[in-house]
Amino acid sequence: MNKKLYFLLLALLAFANVNAQMLDPAKWTTKIEKKSANTFLLTFDGTIEKEWHLYSQFTPDGGPLPLEVIFKNAKGNFTLVGKAKESKTRTAFNDIFEVNETFFEKKAQITQEIKVTNPNFTKVEVELNYQVCKDVCINMEKKFTFVLPVNTLSSALNPETIITETAVTETTVLDTVKKDSLQPSLGTSNVVIADTPAAIEKTANKSEKRGLLSIFFLAFLGGLAALMTPCVFPMIPMTVSFFTKQSKTKAKGISNAIIYGVAIILIYVMLGFLVTWVFGADALNALSTNVWFNVIFFVLLVVFAASFLGAFEIMLPNSWANKVDNQADRGGIIGILFMALALAIVSFSCTGPIVGTLLVEAASNGGIAPVVGMFGFSLALALPFMLFAMFPGWLNSLPKSGGWLNTVKVFLGFLELALAFKFLSNADLVLQLHLLEREVFLAIWIAIFGVLALYLFGKITLPHDSPLPHISVGRLMMGLLVLTFTVYLIPGLWGAPLKIISAFPPPMEYSESPFGIGNSSRSNSAVILPEGAKIGPHGIVVFDDYEKGLAYAKTISKPIMLDFTGYACVNCRKMENNVWSDIDVLKLLKNEVVVISLYVDDKRELPKEQQFVSKKTGSEIETIGDKWTDFMISTYKTNTQPLYVLTDLEGNSLNQEKPTISYVGVTEYESWLKSGIANFKK
């Protein structure tokens, strides 16, 4: 055989082998539509392999990486008309990152309208950066070039839509993400990666339903709390008495009360629809992950809290209430509807802060969550009016109005204040300012709930409180409950996980002392840590630089475990939480190997002299993450995370039968580790 032909065949086989191991679960086709002389619609249609998820633009920071649409040559050539739009997505809670995330399944479509400003411009260069996950996570970068008709602006064509299919060239670059995607999350959209592929869809469905059910029950509890405020509670006997006395028959009184309750529900549900319609389901989720909106939410909740604590009252104009009240005198169904509206307006000083808080929290879930939230709130608010109208005798069992109503209002004020700092914490996490780290956050909550306990015990009084010669048994029990919660929070300063409130404070690593205040393991580790090492999950000493880790491994003559991971890799965290935490596995990782964690989404820029073009992918290696991605692809012919490799001090794999391992259980992972370590010692 001709030598040149022989080597060409070898090269083709090698190339085929590399690409056979590369995973590319999303395939894209594109089209460009001409809308007018200078406006075009660019469309990306993605087909996603079964059981894979591709994350949306609106996935919050801190979870899996959101999709990014980057226009490379827009300046001086064209402008974007609005934000890129997406086809139908799903949302579900991710229990690893403790955020909601938005994702595509099976199909994804991204559309972006552009307005061309340069008459000689012909090519639009676009880059899609995104992450897909199943049992492993893959970060992808795909480059497209859309070709526009010549002389776009001077064209005499009619502004009818002209569709040019696949008017695009595509280049795939693996594992590239942007720096902003690495920031922690703002608490609210969307997928739980299931332990087995077959369970992914079922788990996502359950998580999505659980999210809406949680919103409903929280809102229902909020409605019950609103009932116990001075603005609403006294109106129950007054309103029910009006219906029973003004109605000619008992049945008519009951029907009127039911209409009244349904009207209350309709008013608040319409408010939820209005919020969703004005902002849009996806926009709500996007806003909830925005720094400035979180700061605004913080300020609003502080204002609400101050109102509940007695600093001032938030009221709608009295003229509104008077006009609505006049309409209520008309009688009939119309009059009843206006009576319900009057209740909403008159009670706004008490219900407004609760409704505002619920809408803020529901917005973080996106979709129809605001509607579900308002339904739960209004249902709890309306039920007593309907039930007491059906059974008027129950009115005698209601407690009398008094100072306890203001106590409920103050209690809610403290809760509003505590919740406010959750939103401020979200903003701090995204900006990485480290102003509200875990210890500071917990100290604030300890102070808030500690003062609340003192208030309930009668040691502190506020402006609108009645004289309190003694406290009731109920108030004493509630005070003890709040005091218990306060004491529970205190060990969090020393590193306790505080699982009951794990979704609220910043994560353990976002703290002044990751091991907790005064923990000796921190000070000891500071002395024994070798150069370039840091404390990783579960106290494991890890390196994030291959050369430094290799040098250390040679000095102590131990094998190396390469951990190809990512800041936004769901299953990397699951492996660390569920597998690395096993006693036997943890002992091996701490004592028998040198762990080198290489983050493929580390966007710190490499020095200019270290940047290069990859021989495998053709992409420009500009960041540390790019470097480790290229290392993984070039050496191990794969682009998935997590990926674990056990090597000797020359870089040779210690597990010949299974050189690499990914997302597995404790038993298989432990056996793989022991086998490689044993081979190193031979």
Side-chain angles (χ1 to χ4, degrees), residues 387-416:
L387 291 175
F388 282 111
M390 294 178 185
F391 308 99
W394 290 4
L395 288 172
N396 297 326
S397 63
L398 280 178
K400 294 181 180 180
S401 300
W404 67 272
L405 290 175
N406 190 68
T407 301
V408 172
K409 195 174 176 182
V410 170
F411 184 87
L412 293 174
F414 277 102
L415 293 184
E416 294 265 4

Side-chain angles (χ1 to χ4, degrees), residues 58-78:
F58 305 112
T59 293
D61 296 333
L65 298 181
L67 180 144
E68 294 178 305
V69 186
I70 303 169
F71 291 86
K72 301 297 240 181
N73 58 341
K75 188 175 181 180
N77 295 318
F78 63 91

Side-chain angles (χ1 to χ4, degrees), residues 636-662:
Y636 301 107
K637 312 300 185 292
T638 186
N639 59 328
T640 63
Q641 306 93 46
L643 185 75
Y644 306 106
V645 188
L646 271 177
T647 74
D648 60 20
L649 302 178
E650 283 72 45
N652 302 310
S653 176
L654 292 171
N655 299 78
Q656 296 302 321
E657 293 184 3
K658 199 168 190 177
T660 66
I661 199 167
S662 186

Side-chain angles (χ1 to χ4, degrees), residues 285-599:
N285 179 259
L287 292 180
S288 71
T289 63
N290 181 277
V291 172
W292 295 113
F293 272 91
N294 273 271
V295 172
I296 291 171
F297 292 160
F298 164 73
V299 173
L300 281 176
L301 292 182
V302 170
V303 171
F304 291 160
S307 173
F308 272 163
L309 293 173
F312 49 82
E313 285 194 0
I314 301 174
M315 298 182 66
L316 295 175
N318 289 329
S319 59
W320 293 15
N322 294 333
K323 289 179 181 179
V324 171
D325 193 49
N326 291 334
Q327 294 296 322
D329 294 335
R330 295 171 56 179
I333 294 178
I334 299 298
I336 294 173
L337 292 175
F338 276 102
M339 283 184 64
L341 185 57
L343 170 70
I345 293 174
V346 171
S347 63
F348 183 79
S349 61
C350 291
T351 60
I354 300 174
V355 169
T357 304
L358 289 173
L359 285 174
V360 168
E361 192 63 28
S364 65
N365 284 264
I368 62 168
V371 178
V372 173
M374 288 301 93
F375 175 68
F377 176 84
S378 58
L379 182 63
L381 201 62
L383 274 177
F385 291 95
M386 293 187 287
L387 291 175
F388 282 111
M390 294 178 185
F391 308 99
W394 290 4
L395 288 172
N396 297 326
S397 63
L398 280 178
K400 294 181 180 180
S401 300
W404 67 272
L405 290 175
N406 190 68
T407 301
V408 172
K409 195 174 176 182
V410 170
F411 184 87
L412 293 174
F414 277 102
L415 293 184
E416 294 265 4
L417 189 59
L419 185 60
F421 282 95
K422 172 182 181 288
F423 291 96
L424 186 62
S425 171
N426 289 338
D428 181 63
L429 280 166
V430 169
L431 296 175
Q432 290 287 286
L433 298 176
H434 289 268
L435 299 176
L436 197 61
E437 293 180 317
R438 185 178 176 89
E439 294 90 345
V440 178
F441 182 94
L442 290 176
I444 291 171
W445 268 38
I446 290 168
I448 290 172
F449 287 101
V451 172
L452 174 57
L454 292 175
Y455 172 79
L456 292 173
F457 289 139
K459 303 299 182 183
I460 295 174
T461 57
L462 290 170
H464 300 296
D465 286 330
S466 302
L468 190 68
H470 63 273
I471 61 173
S472 65
V473 174
R475 183 164 177 162
L476 173 65
M477 298 301 290
M478 183 57 70
L480 289 173
L481 182 63
V482 172
L483 181 60
T484 300
F485 179 70
T486 306
V487 174
Y488 168 79
L489 293 176
I490 294 173
L493 298 174
W494 280 265
L498 305 180
K499 293 183 179 180
I500 293 177
I501 60 163
S502 59
F504 286 91
M508 292 287 288
E509 57 269 22
Y510 194 77
S511 63
E512 296 176 5
S513 175
F515 288 96
I517 297 172
N519 194 315
S520 60
S521 59
R522 182 180 185 276
S523 57
N524 289 340
S525 64
V527 176
I528 64 172
L529 280 180
E531 182 183 357
K534 63 180 182 180
I535 299 298
H538 314 295
I540 300 169
V541 175
V542 300
F543 292 82
D544 58 12
D545 183 274
Y546 179 76
E547 298 299 331
K548 292 179 179 178
L550 175 62
Y552 178 69
K554 288 180 178 179
T555 62
I556 62 173
S557 190
K558 284 186 178 180
I560 294 167
M561 192 193 80
L562 294 178
D563 165 32
F564 290 100
T565 184
Y567 293 110
C569 173
V570 176
N571 288 315
C572 300
R573 302 295 86 76
K574 292 189 79 169
M575 283 293 292
E576 292 163 5
N577 293 343
N578 302 330
V579 177
W580 285 20
S581 61
D582 178 78
I583 295 175
D584 295 327
V585 171
L586 189 58
K587 188 182 299 183
L588 293 173
L589 294 177
K590 281 187 173 183
N591 303 321
E592 300 295 334
V593 299
V594 174
V595 179
I596 304 178
S597 294
L598 305 177
Y599 288 84

Side-chain angles (χ1 to χ4, degrees), residues 71-211:
F71 291 86
K72 301 297 240 181
N73 58 341
K75 188 175 181 180
N77 295 318
F78 63 91
T79 58
L80 304 181
V81 182
K83 186 176 176 62
K85 297 180 180 178
E86 298 182 346
S87 58
K88 184 180 179 181
T89 56
R90 293 181 57 191
T91 60
F93 185 72
N94 184 318
D95 56 357
I96 298 301
F97 290 101
E98 296 180 344
V99 297
N100 288 317
E101 289 137 1
T102 307
F103 59 95
F104 300 96
E105 289 182 316
K106 298 180 182 178
K107 298 287 185 182
Q109 185 180 77
I110 311 297
T111 57
Q112 175 68 64
E113 187 173 342
I114 65 170
K115 184 176 182 179
V116 177
T117 55
N118 180 357
N120 299 315
F121 180 66
T122 59
K123 292 183 180 180
V124 180
E125 296 179 3
V126 191
E127 186 177 286
L128 291 185
N129 289 344
Y130 57 90
Q131 185 176 78
V132 281
C133 287
K134 189 176 73 168
D135 289 333
V136 293
C137 294
I138 306 172
N139 304 335
M140 303 292 293
E141 176 190 290
K142 292 203 172 184
K143 297 179 179 179
F144 303 87
T145 301
F146 289 84
V147 180
L148 305 181
V150 180
N151 297 325
T152 297
L153 294 185
S154 60
S155 174
L157 292 174
N158 293 325
E160 297 175 353
T161 299
I162 300 173
I163 302 178
T164 306
E165 296 286 353
T166 63
V168 62
T169 57
E170 175 185 328
T171 304
T172 300
V173 184
L174 302 171
D175 298 285
T176 302
V177 292
K178 288 184 73 67
K179 183 176 181 180
D180 290 345
S181 302
L182 305 181
Q183 304 295 348
S185 170
L186 299 183
T188 167
S189 186
N190 307 318
V191 62
V192 177
I193 302 297
D195 290 339
T196 60
I200 291 178
E201 185 171 353
K202 184 176 179 182
T203 305
N205 280 327
K206 286 183 177 179
S207 300
E208 185 174 6
K209 291 177 181 177
R210 181 178 62 187

